[in-house]
Amino acid sequence: MDKGMPPWGVRLDDVAIWGVTAYLFDLGLTQDVYDAGAQIYKDSCAVCHGESGKGDGPQAQGDMPDLSSWAAWVDISNDAWAQRVKQQDVHASVVKELDDDSLKKVMAYVRTLSYESTRAPLEGNGIISGTVEMMTKGEEANFEGLTVALFGLRGGEELALTLTTTVKADNTFRFEGLSTSHQMIYYLETEWEGVPYATDALVFLPGQTVITTTLQVAATTEEDPGIRAGRAHWFMDFDGETLTVGELIGIDNPGDRAYIGTPLPDRDGARAVIRWALPAGVMNLRLDGGKLGERFLLVNGELIDTLPLPPGRDVRRLLLQYQLPIEHNQAVLAHPVSLPIDLLTVFIADRGEHIEVPDNATEGESQDVNGVPFKMYTLTRVDKGETVTFRLTNLAAARKANPHEAPPSLVRQIGVGLSLLLGLLLLGSMVYLTRRRKPSEDETKEALRERREEILRLIAQLDIAFEAGEVDEATYREERDILMAEAVQLTRMLGDIPTELEGSSDTAPSADEDTTPEEQA
């Protein structure tokens, strides 16, 4: 591994490398082979080796190998294991009944006992239950008969399960027989008055079999409830001709009603829900979660999202990328602000160029992404109507000293660890919770640690801003509690809670079997 793929030896620890190895084994394992091998193992092997391969079957004799351990598989191929089985007298009666093809299938299955295969059945003893609630004050509703859908994603990306049920007279719902594997990510969805609602990610923690949650819906309004960008991240890199900009914006709806927007003239009934101004001269605009002319519209230099916005904090994330021209050896991002931004973090590839930043920008610790250093700047309380300007000069010299091509999807590379929703993010891909979309298979410890480090840096920067009088106490406490809760959840997922987080406050209550991962954070 170290000789064949040296970059991995630097970037991944042993656990991550073996995790990727297991994933590669699964890529070559078809469902038919898995199912056939599982049946053969059940009929011919489990009586000695045990259901899970631990050597604890009812007829186990002597020193049985633990086939559920990676140690049994790290230095041997399936074919070599098959040959060993053929040569052992204790397996003579079994081998006699199996042809080579059957033996290959059962060995392929037995290897999966050492890791959680994506081919494994989804059945289990997990339960997800909850209540549909009206969150709008003064409004009452009967949800009996409302359809609730449960989506299960295996490895965070493959949609492996879709179930529906209807709400009972007491406004409750329940799903049973669910897999509690850590590979399974669930979320619930419903629609009320034409507005889609979904829960955050639901994951069974080790030993947990019951998740109880609430699926909240709201009445609608045409009046702007004061939507804002709670947190926004901008990313910049450049090649010889263009500046590539990626934006990840978390949108807050502080009201208790779903905002359906205002009618747009001559747009076939479409409504403007979120208006996000773009810099002049934008080229090659790319969006995640929809297309221009459908959910998204471009009107007078503003990107308009027409999807109704439920109440909540960070309830929607906009992910976009575009390019700006490089002229006269410089690139300028002059970004008008059409929604108030509470906290803006800007990452700029450090290729040796000169960077002019706004006076109120604070420079943070540089970040390394795929071997490229990125300078980081933060701005707090950016008001609607302002223009945030970053100017990059001396680009020709910087490009000559550091020849490279700007990545075709900058935001997806730089965004790793920056939009993690309760720690569930793909390494190398950025997908946010929106209808029927969830993060992916590359949810690794490395990505979790990167996000946790970034969260702790944000906490430190928030502390500094508060001490400097740049943030009022109410906002400071609210933001800090949110960041600390996410840091604690990430640390729990990593399984290495340090004392400074474990003993911290009301953001880290002990786990309870009947609570969701979000409630435990």
Side-chain angles (χ1 to χ4, degrees):
M1 180 69 75
D2 289 340
K3 293 181 180 179
M5 303 189 80
W8 283 32
V10 176
R11 297 179 186 276
L12 302 179
D13 59 18
D14 288 346
V15 173
I17 290 173
W18 285 118
V20 173
T21 304
Y23 173 68
L24 293 176
F25 275 122
D26 252 22
L27 284 179
L29 180 63
T30 66
Q31 193 66 53
D32 289 344
V33 170
Y34 178 93
D35 292 342
Q39 188 62 50
I40 295 169
Y41 181 84
K42 179 181 178 181
D43 294 342
S44 305
C45 310
V47 65
C48 293
H49 289 283
E51 183 179 344
S52 61
K54 294 184 179 296
D56 56 357
Q59 297 183 22
Q61 298 179 9
D63 187 16
M64 301 286 293
D66 183 0
L67 300 178
S68 68
S69 168
W70 262 104
W73 298 94
V74 292
D75 59 353
I76 189 169
S77 67
N78 290 358
D79 288 342
W81 251 116
Q83 291 301 317
R84 180 182 297 181
V85 168
K86 285 182 177 181
Q87 295 167 7
Q88 293 173 334
D89 293 338
V90 70
H91 288 116
S93 61
V94 175
V95 172
K96 184 179 179 179
E97 298 176 358
L98 301 178
D99 57 23
D100 287 345
D101 183 61
S102 296
L103 193 56
K104 286 182 179 180
K105 289 177 179 177
V106 73
M107 295 314 302
Y109 168 76
V110 174
R111 182 180 287 273
T112 69
L113 297 177
S114 64
Y115 64 92
E116 287 201 42
S117 173
T118 59
R119 309 301 178 189
L122 294 177
E123 294 82 5
N125 62 344
I127 296 172
I128 294 179
S129 63
T131 304
V132 179
E133 292 183 356
M134 170 60 69
M135 64 184 303
T136 306
K137 295 179 181 179
E139 295 283 344
E140 295 183 1
N142 180 7
F143 300 112
E144 183 178 5
L146 182 68
T147 299
V148 174
L150 173 71
F151 299 97
L153 296 99
R154 179 147 46 186
E157 185 174 69
E158 174 196 358
L159 181 59
L161 178 71
T162 301
L163 299 173
T164 60
T165 190
T166 55
V167 177
K168 299 177 182 178
D170 60 354
N171 291 338
T172 64
F173 57 86
R174 184 180 179 93
F175 295 92
E176 299 180 345
L178 305 175
S179 170
T180 59
S181 166
H182 73 273
Q183 289 195 19
M184 289 300 296
I185 300 169
Y186 298 98
Y187 71 101
L188 297 160
E189 183 179 285
T190 192
E191 185 171 298
W192 181 254
E193 294 186 352
V195 181
Y197 295 88
T199 62
D200 287 337
L202 304 173
V203 181
F204 287 96
L205 299 178
Q208 185 182 20
T209 59
V210 177
I211 293 176
T212 303
T213 188
T214 300
L215 184 53
Q216 292 187 316
V217 301
T220 59
T221 181
E222 294 184 354
E223 296 183 10
D224 186 349
I227 63 174
R228 59 194 306 112
R231 278 177 272 181
H233 297 87
W234 298 348
F235 318 100
M236 287 181 257
D237 199 357
F238 60 92
D239 56 20
E241 299 179 351
T242 56
L243 175 71
T244 302
V245 182
E247 299 190 26
L248 174 65
I249 309 108
I251 304 296
D252 298 347
N253 175 355
D256 65 356
R257 291 176 178 268
Y259 180 50
I260 61 174
T262 56
L264 286 167
D266 303 321
R267 293 287 178 168
D268 297 326
R271 290 173 171 268
V273 178
I274 299 172
R275 293 178 178 268
W276 187 255
L278 297 174
V282 162
M283 305 179 294
N284 303 322
L285 177 63
R286 298 169 58 186
L287 302 162
D288 192 39
K291 297 180 180 179
L292 280 178
E294 297 178 0
R295 169 183 162 184
F296 294 103
L297 302 173
L298 195 58
V299 179
N300 298 327
E302 286 187 322
L303 177 66
I304 294 178
D305 186 356
T306 63
L307 188 66
L309 186 69
R313 190 173 178 81
D314 200 24
V315 72
R316 178 163 306 154
R317 294 185 179 183
L318 301 180
L319 185 60
L320 56 139
Q321 179 180 295
Y322 52 84
Q323 292 176 318
L324 293 170
I326 292 177
E327 298 176 339
H328 308 297
N329 199 28
Q330 69 174 358
V332 179
L333 174 71
H335 201 308
V337 177
S338 53
L339 288 177
I341 304 174
D342 294 334
L343 180 63
L344 171 62
T345 307
V346 181
F347 294 85
I348 304 176
D350 185 6
R351 309 282 186 178
E353 74 276 15
H354 297 156
I355 303 175
E356 299 177 21
V357 305
D359 293 338
N360 59 338
T362 301
E363 185 170 359
E365 182 180 348
S366 294
Q367 308 290 304
D368 185 86
V369 179
N370 292 337
V372 178
F374 276 73
K375 289 189 173 182
M376 182 176 74
Y377 303 91
T378 58
L379 296 88
T380 58
R381 297 299 181 189
V382 183
D383 293 329
K384 178 179 179 180
E386 291 187 26
T387 297
V388 177
T389 302
F390 285 83
R391 185 183 304 272
L392 282 61
T393 60
N394 196 37
L395 300 185
R399 176 165 171 75
K400 183 177 181 181
N402 297 280
H404 74 288
E405 295 297 330
S409 188
L410 172 70
V411 70
R412 292 182 180 273
Q413 292 196 21
I414 310 307
V416 169
L418 293 177
S419 82
L420 199 58
L421 181 59
L422 297 175
L424 304 174
L425 175 73
L426 355 180
L427 183 59
S429 178
M430 186 73 69
V431 184
Y432 59 97
L433 174 63
T434 224
R435 287 178 64 94
R436 294 175 174 79
R437 293 180 63 88
K438 273 303 205 193
S440 84
E441 61 198 27
D442 286 327
E443 177 198 350
T444 67
K445 283 194 173 183
E446 182 179 354
L448 298 180
R449 289 194 180 100
E450 287 177 359
R451 172 57 177 168
R452 183 177 63 185
E453 291 172 3
E454 198 259 341
I455 285 291
L456 294 177
R457 280 192 292 269
L458 286 176
I459 291 172
Q461 293 164 14
L462 187 62
D463 289 344
I464 293 172
F466 175 64
E467 292 174 2
E470 298 174 0
V471 180
D472 63 80
E473 183 171 359
T475 301
Y476 167 71
R477 298 296 180 192
E478 182 182 12
E479 290 284 347
R480 200 177 197 282
D481 284 349
I482 291 171
L483 292 171
M484 281 298 296
E486 186 171 347
V488 170
Q489 177 68 10
L490 290 169
T491 306
R492 278 207 184 92
M493 296 181 74
L494 286 164
D496 55 358
I497 298 181
T499 54
E500 64 268 23
L501 288 182
E502 183 63 53
S504 74
S505 79
D506 41 17
T507 61
S510 60
D512 182 89
E513 183 183 60
D514 291 340
T515 58
T516 67
E518 294 80 24
E519 290 168 338
Q520 293 166 10

